[in-house]
Amino acid sequence: MTTSATTHAGLRLIPFHGLRYVPERVGSLAAVTSPPYDVVVRPDGVDYLESADPHNIVRLILPQADTPDARNEQAAQTLEDWLAKGVLSADPEPALYVYEQRTDRGLQRGVIGALALSTADAGIVLPHEDVMPHVVTDRAGLMRATSANLEPLLLTYRGGDAAAGAAEVVERTAQSTPLLATTTEDGVRHRLWAVIDPVDQDAITADLRRRQALIADGHHRWATYLRLQQEHESPTPWDFGLVLLVDTVRYPLQVRAIHRMLHRLPVADALAAVEGSFRVRRVDGPLPLALEALGEASERGNAFLLTGDGTFHLVTDPDPELLERTVRRDRPEAWRRLDATVLHATLLDTLWQIPDTPDQITYIHDASATVAMAERHGGTAVLLYPVREEVVRALARQGVTMPRKSTSFGPKPATGLVLRSLA
């Protein structure tokens, strides 16, 4: 089934022949999985994952070579080799997949499938963040070379009756024996089931056709899907992209911040540049205590935690006149007040004058990893507090995108449990 999404009013999810690791060919399923590509802290994280198992999925999503072309060629060759050797194998029947993640803190379940692509103006899949063109170019080169969706995006939707439609199929399926079950090093327990019964598949797809989704994680990969779709004349498999859809009525996601590490700006220089324009005060560490202070300050307005030299500083209360001069006015007030908006427009662009390029700024999901990198490089870690999900969704429905890398929704699906071939 390869009809374009443009003729449908809601989400169109179709089954596919999932590519999965053959357990007998790898050390363990846990050892071949990885976090999403943009969560792996390079190079330490890549080296660690590569050493966990020679077939770890990181060799496909973050191949290591000197040039982009060489990296993409290496990933394509690795995928071809693994398929030829039976390390990866396609499921015999097209399926939708129920995916479960369980931790001591909670449970999340959703459906993995191939989702018909649509642009933001169709109002079917809503982005909430801008993207960086160079990242889309990088991901497009990798997908083009491998002819595969290597990891699912995380999308959320608001479901309906828990005893009908997709919710009923998901919960009933989760009571049966899974295709696979594994516990990754972070303590998360993963289980996956294949939904191959046409009646169950129809129940899921009919329910989702009435829904609208928010991109929770994977804006760059969604933009990549759309770019690659334009390169192929429809109908083709490139009209669809691999996603995990989670009903947040049943399974609310956690929203976390994405932090910035400024490579070439020492903490002392960063603080000196904001004196007089923001309120700056030193707070006590260690990091968890300083993050508590950040959370308290964020309830009252814009707040940032700067560190990287062993000290912690809260930067709050921006000069209102400075905000008026630096933050664009053609956006809703909720967007203008976002920490990420003020960070980029007022701090990075105006006071620090730092371009948003990979050699200047690294985006990191984990606060402690951001601080450690800043301390190694003599730079500044800028730590942010999470945006509330209702703010994200409200802006997305208005067609307003947040500054890139504003939020991190989770838990994110593990990479390597199921892939989709486009060949």
Side-chain angles (χ1 to χ4, degrees), residues 106-138:
L107 171 70
Q108 176 174 289
R109 289 180 180 141
V111 179
I112 294 175
L115 184 66
L117 304 181
S118 60
T119 55
D121 56 6
I124 299 170
V125 176
L126 303 177
H128 71 266
E129 287 185 357
D130 295 330
V131 298
M132 293 177 277
H134 74 275
V135 177
V136 176
T137 298
D138 174 73

Side-chain angles (χ1 to χ4, degrees), residues 309-330:
D309 62 355
T311 64
F312 298 93
H313 301 266
L314 271 181
V315 175
T316 61
D317 302 289
D319 176 6
E321 292 184 3
L322 177 63
L323 294 185
E324 283 301 310
R325 292 199 310 271
T326 57
V327 177
R328 56 189 297 180
R329 301 180 184 181
D330 60 344

Side-chain angles (χ1 to χ4, degrees), residues 91-115:
D91 285 336
E93 297 184 75
L96 299 173
Y97 296 86
V98 171
Y99 175 47
E100 174 187 284
Q101 295 160 279
R102 186 185 294 270
T103 69
D104 295 337
R105 298 182 300 278
L107 171 70
Q108 176 174 289
R109 289 180 180 141
V111 179
I112 294 175
L115 184 66

Side-chain angles (χ1 to χ4, degrees), residues 179-259:
L179 278 178
L180 65 85
T182 189
T183 301
T184 45
E185 191 178 61
D186 55 6
V188 179
R189 300 183 290 281
H190 307 263
R191 296 198 296 172
L192 189 78
W193 297 261
V195 178
I196 58 176
D197 185 328
V199 174
D200 286 343
Q201 291 180 354
D202 288 347
I204 292 173
T205 56
D207 186 0
L208 292 176
R209 276 199 176 111
R210 300 181 288 121
R211 311 296 178 191
Q212 178 187 62
L214 175 74
I215 300 176
D217 184 70
H219 284 82
H220 289 91
R221 282 166 284 165
W222 185 259
T224 301
Y225 289 169
L226 293 173
R227 178 183 294 187
L228 294 176
Q229 181 188 34
Q230 293 174 354
E231 297 178 5
H232 298 81
E233 186 175 349
S234 295
T236 74
W238 296 91
D239 292 329
F240 296 81
L242 184 63
V243 304
L244 165 65
L245 280 159
V246 174
D247 176 0
T248 51
V249 172
R250 296 188 57 77
Y251 301 106
L253 268 63
Q254 303 162 8
V255 187
R256 296 187 175 91
I258 301 178
H259 312 290

